[in-house]
Amino acid sequence: MTEASIIDGKAYAERLRARIALKTADLRAATGIVPGLAVVLVGEDPASQVYVRTKSRQAEAAGIRAFDHKLPASVTDEHLLALIATLNADPTVHGILVQLPLPRQISADKVLRAVDPTKDVDGFHPTNVGYLATGQRDMAMVPCTPLGCLLLLEDRLGSLSGLDAVVIGRSNIVGKPMAQLLLQADATVTVVHSRTRAIAEHCRRADIVVAALGRPGFVKADWIKPGATVIDVGINRIVRADGTSGIVGDVDAGSVRAVAGAMTPVPGGVGPMTIACLLANTVTAAFRARGLEPPDWRKD
């Protein structure tokens, strides 16, 4: 049996960033507007610092102005909310991203609700959640990771209409919005989670499996329908028996690749798409702020 073909998220993200740069240049030439992305980082978490630097570097390369705001871990709710209010009122800022996780003394829900929904490029504000849930994608900011997964699926499979899809995980960040996007693409969707009985049986019927639960190697080969498309959202750091560390997904890639028709690698699959979709959302917000129809990022 041939092994699954690899869905190269890194290559797709590179092409998407090139389209973003073109649309950014078009917007600037027509209106003088330069899309602006404000990233707020609280504390000194090393992984978050690297992620924020990557976002800012890629934003600048795509013609997006990046505004980085670094605050100490001891910051108060009041100080952080005041910064967000300033960014909400700043016409040069079209997208606001508050890097998670936040320190314990900060109410993440309160902070995310404070972001202007039209600048909420993470898609976490209840207004954007509501727009997505009611099928109003033309009004919503769609969460970046699920959007990236959908773009990869449509690029690989074309129409998703009528396909059976299983989403493993029900988080507000990935699982729930992923299910909404698949439903709106006319797939038949099942969401399974930690309380679901016989998860493997649900997966075996699926043409599409999206694994987003945060458990390394959770999805096994005998869970996968032969030829199915598998999207692995997991990013898990592990320590091997020999003491070395590494990053693996939620899918047992070594065994699943012998059964699946196509799958995303970890790393190099969904991760690069998340940042590219963040930039796409920022440009979408800039177009909308000017009353212009935003680009359709599904089209090359």
Side-chain angles (χ1 to χ4, degrees):
M1 180 180 291
T2 59
E3 287 194 345
S5 60
I6 298 301
I7 300 173
D8 191 340
K10 185 176 180 180
Y12 189 106
E14 186 175 344
R15 298 196 304 271
L16 178 55
R17 291 197 306 272
R19 298 207 306 275
I20 291 166
L22 288 174
K23 296 300 182 181
T24 299
D26 290 345
L27 181 65
R28 183 171 188 171
T31 67
I33 292 174
V34 179
L37 172 64
V39 179
V40 179
L41 175 63
V42 181
E44 303 293 333
D45 179 72
S48 292
Q49 289 181 330
V50 171
Y51 199 43
V52 166
R53 283 198 299 270
T54 302
K55 290 173 181 176
S56 298
R57 184 174 65 251
Q58 292 189 10
E60 296 283 1
I64 296 169
R65 185 178 293 134
F67 305 98
D68 291 342
H69 297 270
K70 298 179 181 179
L71 303 176
S74 59
V75 70
T76 63
D77 270 13
E78 291 75 17
H79 188 151
L80 182 52
L81 291 171
L83 172 60
I84 291 172
T86 299
L87 297 175
N88 284 341
D90 187 344
T92 67
V93 173
H94 301 94
I96 301 170
L97 180 145
V98 180
Q99 183 66 37
L100 300 177
L102 292 169
R104 290 183 179 181
Q105 79 274 11
I106 302 293
S107 168
D109 286 343
K110 183 187 295 185
V111 168
L112 296 177
R113 286 196 303 267
V115 176
D116 182 339
T118 66
K119 298 186 178 187
D120 167 38
V121 287
D122 258 337
F124 296 161
H125 192 283
T127 296
N128 286 316
V129 173
Y131 281 140
L132 182 60
T134 53
Q136 299 181 75
R137 274 188 63 182
D138 60 327
M139 299 290 290
M141 282 292 173
V142 179
C144 304
T145 297
L147 178 57
C149 293
L150 183 71
L151 293 175
L152 291 177
L153 284 168
E154 291 182 333
D155 183 64
R156 171 71 188 183
L157 300 173
S159 173
L160 308 185
S161 180
L163 297 182
D164 288 318
V166 167
V167 178
I168 308 175
R170 53 179 171 176
S171 72
N172 292 332
I173 294 173
V174 180
K176 290 176 183 176
M178 187 75 250
Q180 292 292 344
L181 289 172
L182 288 166
L183 281 171
Q184 290 168 35
D186 295 323
T188 300
V189 183
T190 301
V191 179
V192 299
H193 48 79
S194 60
R195 297 293 185 268
T196 301
R197 298 175 182 176
I199 291 178
E201 292 182 14
H202 290 285
C203 291
R204 288 190 196 105
R205 295 193 293 269
D207 304 298
I208 297 167
V209 175
V210 180
L213 69 158
R215 292 181 60 180
F218 183 74
V219 179
K220 307 301 183 185
D222 62 356
W223 293 26
I224 300 301
K225 176 181 176 180
T229 300
V230 179
I231 304 294
D232 191 349
V233 182
I235 301 177
N236 308 288
R237 183 171 293 278
I238 61 166
V239 178
R240 304 182 183 92
D242 63 2
T244 61
S245 63
I247 301 294
V248 299
D250 292 344
V251 174
D252 181 15
S255 64
V256 168
R257 69 168 57 100
V259 182
M263 62 187 295
T264 55
V266 176
V270 174
M273 290 297 295
T274 296
I275 297 180
C277 288
L278 170 70
L279 306 183
N281 278 352
T282 301
V283 177
T284 291
F287 270 78
R288 289 176 178 172
R290 185 71 180 205
L292 300 173
E293 183 71 21
D296 183 347
W297 301 113
R298 293 171 292 184
K299 297 178 180 178
D300 285 319

